[in-house]
Amino acid sequence: MADDRTIMGIFSDEETTLSAVRALKETPWSIENVMSPIPSREIADELSTKPSRVGYFTLAGGIIGFFTGFALSAYTALQWQLVVSGKPIVALVPFFIVGFEFTILFAVFGNVVGLILKMKLPDYRGLADHDSRCTGACFCVVAVCPVSDEQKLLNFLKNSGADTRILS
Amino acid sequence: MDRRTFLKIAAMGSLSFASGCSSQPDKTLFSLVQAPDDMVTGRGTWFASTCRECPAGCGIVAKNREGRAIKLEGNPLHPINRGRLCMRGQAALQGVYNPDRLSKPLIRENGRLTPISYEKALSIIQDKGSDAAKKGQGRVAVFTEMVGPTLLSLFKALLAQWHSETPTLFEPFAYESLKLANSQVFGIDGLASYRMEQADLLVSFGADFLETWLSPVEYARRFQQMRAFGSGGKGVYLHVGPYAGLTAANADRFMVCRCGGEAFVAFGLIREVLEKISDSSVSGDLVEPLKRILDPFDREEVLKLSGIRQSHYDLLIERVLSARRPLILGTQGAGAGENTPATDVASCLLNALLDPDLTLIDFSNRHTVERTAKRSDVLNRFKSVTDGKVDLLLLNNIDPVFSVPYNAGFRKTLGQDSPFVVCFSSFMSETAALSDLIVPIAHPLESWDAYEGKTGVWSILQPVMGNLVGTYTLGDLLVRLAFKGETAQQGYRGYLANDLIRRGMIKDERDWIKTVQQGGAFDGLSSEGGLSSKVQPSWSWAGTLSSAIDPGASGTIFAAVPSIRLFDGRGANKPWLNEAPEPMTQVAWQTPVLMDSHTAAKNNIRQGDVLKIASTWGELEAPVYLSEFLHPDLLVMAVGQGHTAYGRYAKGFGTNAAGIFPPDTHPVCGGPLYRVAPISLTPTGKWLKPANTDGSRVQHHRKIALTVPLKALYEHQEKGHPGLGMWDFPLTLPLPEGYDPQRDFYPPHDHDGYRWAMVIDLDRCIGCGACAVACYAENNIGVVGEKRILQGREMAWLRIERYLDEADPTRVIFLPMLCQHCDNAPCESVCPVYASHHSREGLNNQIYNRCIGTRFCSQMCPYKVRRFNWFDWEWPAPLNFQLNPDVTVRSKGVTEKCSFCIQRIKAAHGKAKDEGRMIQDGEVIPACAQTCPTDAFVFGNLMDKTSRIRKLMADPRAYQVMGYLNTKPAVIYLKKVIRDV
Amino acid sequence: MNKTAAKITESVFFNRSLLRMTGVSIVIGLVSFIILLSGKHPERAWQAYLTNFLFWSSVAQGGLLFSAVMQVARGRWGRSLTGPAEALAGFFPVSFLLYLILFLGYKQVFPWRYMELGEKAAWLNLPGLFARDTAGFLILYGLGFIYLYHSWAFRLNRKTDAGKTREYLNRLWNSRSVDPDRFRARMTLFAVLYIIAYAVILSLIAYDLIMALDPHWYSALFGAYHFVKAFYMALGVLIILASILHMNPQIPFALRPSQFHDLGKLFFAFCLVWADFFYCQFMVIWYGNISEETAYVIARTMASPWRPMAWLVFIVSFGIPFLILLNRKIKSNPKWMSLLSALVLLGLWLEHTLLIGPSLNPHVHTLQLGIFDGLIFVGFIGLMTLVVASVLHVLPELAESRISEGS
Amino acid sequence: MSENANPLTFGDIDRRVLATLAPASRGYWAAVGLLAFGVLIGAGCWAYQIAAGVGVAGMNNPVAWGTYLINFVFWVGIAHSGTLISAILHLMRASWRNPIVRAAETMTVFAVCVAGLFPFIHLGRVWMVYYMLSIPNQRNLWQNFQSPLMFDVLAISTYLTVSTLFWYTGMLPDLAVVRDRSTGKKKKIFTIISLGWTGAQEQWRHYTRAYLFFAALATPLVISVHSVASWDFTLGVVPGWHSTIFAPYFVAGAIHSGLSMVLTLMIPMRRIFNYEKIITIDVLENVAKAIIFTGFIVAFAYGTEFFMAWYSQNPVELEVFRNRPFGDYAAGFWIMAVCNTILPVVFFFRFARRSLSILFMVSILVNIGMWFERFVIIVTSVSRDFIPHAWGLYAPTWVEFGIMIGSFSLFFFLFVLFVKHLPSVSMTEMKEMLGKRGGHGG
């Protein structure tokens, strides 16, 4: 949107960031993004982001894995039906371990897949207007305002303790 | 193999060979592009022949596959061994295929041996012979091993041409003392055979009839017929002697005494017997003088002189007097001590007194080893050689340089360049090494011949395979030396046939073929009666009796004894025999000197300490093995090892005792002296790790090798209700009925048609180890050698575990341990790749080419019967020709174990399928069961309710080793019966 | 606030209705115990008695363990739960009394008295067993009380003058003043000692009073299995107790959802550990298939009459909680959690019966479980409730959560 | 522990950690070279063994498992505490673990790699190892999933995969930090491997959740892995192996050894990279406390085993447990007993917990002790099991020692490479620790 300005405010610590975010929410301007070196429950709450749904992938993976494990071991055992130590051909007691290991493995795969899909990584476009301080000591708030309000927003951010940077 | 099938294949085989395979090396073994029409690739052909590993003369049948003999079994039709073989017989094959066999005659030219052709060799001998003959009478001397009558006559014929006397039959073990006793007491200068099986009490004063004595396989069988519980025998066996070899270890009571003390025990016994004797069956003229001579030997005197334990002595007397059909055996026969003749005479007298009709002694079918010359005669004959009265000396397959005391002259004389020494030998033995001309001869398994093991028992030797290295048979050589023209043309086989016809053994060609097929002519064997005898009125024996001297005087005595594995040392070049541990010490590849453990403790000598043992005549060094089976004043060493030549498997292993014995012979019997005293012992400070395969001598009160008192078997024993512990766990068959839902997690599983299993009767097992060696032969088991055995890597699929009784360490029990083919085998489920699993017929399969070598199975196996191939084992050519084509040769990195000879089971399956029937009971016999001289193994199908093995399940003695582990082993053992005497 | 607390307690923990309820249930339990005892099969009575004795003693021991662990691991989140947990420890004296009573039934309780034991007799003999277990209980409970003595010194308000116990304790504390840090350090030390004793002595009890009932069976993990289970049960009871206190507006005890959530997670974790310890034993015994070991397990899990009960235990105490507790929300919901815990506890009570029953009634063909066992259980519930109530009555501070803690 | 006393700021953390990634000195490369040489020794020995046969190692018939499986179990054990620290302590919100979590996880990954090698080295026919993989084949003959070794294959490979992913995920934000503070090729590389992480809320939201699941899954996994390792022994009937307590006892033992290995690694590392302010003495003290705890569990297990052996009154069991303390391998047993159970007791004293030298010494001794624990368990049991006639002794050969040297070299080789090229302390989690003042204390 050509008539919009995206401005990044860079704060030195979590508290000021937090108050800034709170204040910003009162303003007409929208918060596009917040970047932080560490995860912050508080900021997340402020931005009222929904809890992640990665868990569903994990769960799905786990369930699939559990049955895959049993299925594989049962299938291989049934091919020749060799009796070993007089144990049943399809012996659920030991096969449980196979099922278990597969559960964990697939759950983790699910977890990773979910993570990749949800975080949309790898994605290097975000680095274009990324400020290196955001991964260091600083919290960055990216706000959007009409071109007209640019100065207002800049002042606002400065007043709330940030040094600012115009991204676009 | 039952009689019928045997005859079939034997016939098929020998017909072809009778025509086909002469001793000419025309049929090459290597490529059979045109196989002879009787040879079906992949199918074995059986040829009957005779074992020549010792003078006993057992019949064998050899399995020939694609032209190579791959396995020997006893000839079931042969009256001496009845289809069984000892470990030496099993190992005969490694004589044929021995990598160190000589293939060309070698002549010594200025010190170096150079190969020459047979023609050349023959002409040399011919020339030397005729030159000698020219010089005068008796310029040619022949010393030969024990040979058959035909070959002997051939020798005679040859020597006659050279104006020389008959050859000398030389055997290191010639039973001089026994022969002396027989002649003095019974007037028969020979070696009677004994109807042991009919006795109810057997007393031996040293005769090791389970090891080497006369005819071990035969006597092992008779012994168990007498004694074994299974065969209804209730006989008791007592052994009196200074040490216990395998034979004594199988006695119901081993009574240790001084070396030489046996004589006085025998005297005492006679004295006691005489006092009891009332009836006049024994002529008074025998009783009186005996009383007179033996009067001094009352109880105290005997105890003092013999050093026997009082309780033992009383027991002995009590048993002998109460026995109905007692049989007394003399001394060990191979080599004498001072009192040996006295002991033998005394035991003969005892037999005469206790059983005046001598019904247990068979004088008509005598052991032909009696024909061998006394050692004193041998030495006398050789003296003439030493004195230069002989120009040509022929030695046939004997090794006096090794087996006769060093300074008896052989070494010296043979070393000199006159006389000209010709040695007929397949190996570079010590003797050959000193000879001027070495003529390799074909192995008995490659030759035609006839041998008479017992008088009237003629066994035929026929080539069981083509000639391997192109050697000639001795017979052919002699024929060509002795005769010209037609006789020479037809060779020794023709000579033999004619000779047999001349002797009336066979009538015609058909008869000849029949004889060859069944392995010999056994009709001469008279069953009962025959020649009998009485005690001689001449009192020549009296002197012998009085020759006995007090053994106490001589201090520590060093004795050498024959080895069940190597006999007199001729077995030393056979890997199997070295690899198989000595039954009593469980030591392989080494010759330790046995020392009483308490004596050792007193002189703080540890096992493995190397001692230097010196006598007036020489000295030797050997590691000590601590034994429980010796008189404290005795050191015992087995003969056979300590070769300085004789091939890679013999050279440099162990020690030869011959060196320290006196060269002269026993004044009375003329036998060699295998006892020497005084001796000096000095520790060398060296230590040699004993290569023993046992981890412990006792079984630590575990349910492994069990015994049961005879009484307990007769009185009705109430079974305490079965529990789950080691001792009260019930016998659980590896069948569905063996599954108890109260204690089994797994459902039972069925087998289709067969559930192979084995019963091993510990009461029959004498621990001779024939089964183990048969297993090596049948299953291509690798020989690992001394170094690897020291590392604990022996590969035996079947091992004889030797356990001493914790309570009484002089009691021994042997337990053959092999894969138990458990129904719930702990080894199977742990294999990640199904290499080991349960077969449909209950076998515990091991798939070699699937195995990746995790060794998990052998860790889990409670019986530790699984063997891992740590390396690729070697079969130096041509040993590899012996490998059984039906059994995989395992490469390094895989685990192997007993398969119940699955190849034999498969073969039986094929046969049964062709004939559209089930496999019959007793049709499949694993190699171990087949060769066992005492029939301790029974193999069969448990699912067949009528099978012999299934019936044995009812035996109250049946149990499973460590059964409480609920592995449901398919090998069921029968407890050894203890006759508490 | 303490004043109010003191006032409230009068009515909350120790009112008539509660007394009536507990009293009645105790009487019911006692009566049914006597009925069974006088019946043809007195061992049935002792089976029920032993089951409940072990069950509730474990709860009490595990309860205190929770507090001790929190102390050692400095787990702040659970600090406010330690109060109720320590209240459970009030059952210690009762438990010891019950233990002594147990020996009245020694004829039925120790079947090995009639068996051939051999060497084992050195371990399995009545005097020896009584001596070592008595010593064990005394040590465990002794350490427990010393720990409580330290813990309460910080927890209790010294001024309130309610009842003799308080005054006695106050006198103890005031008698000599140690500086708080050293006192806290000693508290931690005794917490550690209690934890060690917990492991060792609960194992001992498990061997002597459960495993040895079938003297031929043994499993090395059995002791650990028992004390892990004990903690699992204690957590269940703790959840219920905490929820009751939490949901009762009159009591100054409230937990943040996160705290319930953490407690729930711990409960979940020990549900898994318990199951794991079971599987570790079952797997090894199943695979080894040595009859000495299998017979015991088969009798309890695969053969009638006990088999269905084994499945019930498995489903109720593992299957259901496992599936439910995967869910995050439920963990922080007191109502549901107490319901679930109750279910689990019921299952574990059956599990105790399952371990003891077959040993005390060998070769039976019917399930040795009846209405009376249930009633006796009820009686013990009453007993436990009464004990906890009275403890909280005397020491109301135990039921105070310090909201201030954590953030 | 009190962060308040700690004057660290976010900036300090970045600076200190990034300083370790500066170009390495000559001495460093010398060390790397030396370790590489050690690896070559091991490789050479293995090659020789493959050519000649496993016989070049000291194993024999009763004792067919030797140092290869001892080292296998040992290294798997080392691996465990890594996951314990990163996952279990994360779930328990013991944030004192944050400074060492990265190093510990790395240790896990490398230890599992090394451990994974040993089963291969152990095999008699390693070239046939693919029989153990589910490769479709024309005979349709697959592997036997009832075998504990198959459990191992699954468990170890799963463990390696999971811990590697866990490790990488945990490192993602730090990689971004490095990216933003480096130039040239290094920047390019880190740009790629940090996958374009910016630290946006959207990313954090999923990241934290996923990380939690990672932890939640790694915890049961780590327990299962060593349980499975223990089942290699317990599932048979061999006396001294067939014991139900093994699984938990192995897990505890694994953590015991792993924790001490953490100390062994951390103490030199904090000295060399002057991490004193980050890896504070309090952190080490906490590890020491944990060691006391695991030490107690291990001791409890030893005791139980002996009691049970006696209680069973089974002559076979009795013999094995008589043989351990008084038999052929008594020395090994006493080393194990003293190092694993007696020594850690010194950590009851505060000064010992806070003295670097004592911590270091004890940590190494405990490692030795744990190695001998595996030796005692694996060797003594089979060397005297059911059939006395088959008893025998075992001693490692130079080949086995060579391979052992190789394995240790390989581990330290990888670790040394890691510390100079990747952030060896988790900057993010350090910052979190500071950020959450007065939050959930350790």
Side-chain angles (χ1 to χ4, degrees), chain B residues 345 400 745 929:
Chain B
V345 168
F745 263 121

Side-chain angles (χ1 to χ4, degrees), chain B residues 477-759:
Chain B
L477 293 174
L478 294 183
V479 167
R480 289 173 59 177
L481 282 171
F483 304 99
K484 299 275 160 295
E486 200 261 338
T487 329
Q489 286 313 312
Q490 69 184 169
Y492 182 65
R493 176 161 158 267
Y495 181 88
L496 177 66
N498 298 335
D499 184 63
L500 290 179
I501 292 170
R502 194 171 60 251
R503 293 170 188 269
M505 301 308 302
I506 57 172
K507 292 182 287 303
D508 52 17
E509 188 71 8
R510 295 189 81 261
D511 196 14
W512 159 246
I513 289 177
K514 178 172 155 301
T515 316
V516 170
Q517 285 170 11
Q518 67 177 28
F522 313 130
D523 318 333
L525 186 72
S526 72
S527 51
E528 276 303 313
L531 168 58
S532 71
S533 172
K534 284 254 178 268
V535 180
Q536 296 303 299
S538 72
W539 292 354
S540 50
W541 42 263
T544 317
L545 284 186
S546 43
S547 75
I549 61 159
D550 174 3
S554 46
T556 304
I557 299 178
F558 176 88
V561 299
S563 156
I564 186 177
R565 296 151 64 222
L566 313 175
F567 200 63
D568 59 355
R570 63 186 69 172
N573 62 349
K574 303 191 175 64
W576 292 338
L577 297 181
N578 286 306
E579 184 92 347
E582 199 281 320
M584 292 301 288
T585 60
Q586 295 288 315
V587 173
W589 288 99
Q590 298 174 345
T591 318
V593 55
L594 276 54
M595 177 185 258
D596 173 58
S597 46
H598 307 90
T599 317
K602 270 201 229 79
N603 313 325
N604 59 54
I605 293 171
R606 295 164 308 145
Q607 179 149 315
D609 284 347
V610 178
L611 291 186
K612 178 192 275 178
I613 303 165
S615 76
T616 346
W617 313 99
E619 64 179 38
L620 59 81
E621 285 190 4
V624 170
Y625 180 91
L626 303 185
S627 169
E628 311 294 335
F629 302 96
L630 292 176
H631 188 275
D633 295 342
L634 184 66
L635 297 179
V636 171
M637 181 187 254
V639 302
Q641 275 194 317
H643 285 271
T644 55
Y646 205 43
R648 68 192 73 176
Y649 297 109
K651 191 173 177 183
F653 289 103
T655 322
N656 181 8
I660 75 172
F661 290 120
D664 40 11
T665 57
H666 192 285
V668 179
C669 68
L673 294 164
Y674 276 38
R675 314 266 182 277
V676 62
I679 54 166
S680 70
L681 297 179
T682 44
T684 58
K686 279 179 282 180
W687 187 76
L688 180 69
K689 188 169 179 228
N692 57 326
T693 59
D694 61 330
S696 163
R697 295 191 191 186
V698 294
Q699 44 185 323
H700 293 261
H701 310 286
R702 298 176 184 188
K703 192 173 183 178
I704 299 173
L706 301 190
T707 58
V708 54
L710 186 59
K711 275 204 231 67
L713 285 170
Y714 289 121
E715 69 210 19
H716 151 76
Q717 67 260 43
E718 86 297 335
K719 293 192 184 62
H721 77 287
L724 304 176
M726 182 186 284
W727 294 106
D728 54 2
F729 197 82
L731 181 80
T732 56
L733 296 187
L735 294 171
E737 52 258 51
Y739 284 76
D740 172 359
Q742 294 309 315
R743 59 163 202 258
D744 273 301
F745 263 121
Y746 322 138
H749 57 270
D750 292 315
H751 304 102
D752 59 11
Y754 308 90
R755 201 321 172 189
W756 301 112
M758 183 180 268
V759 169

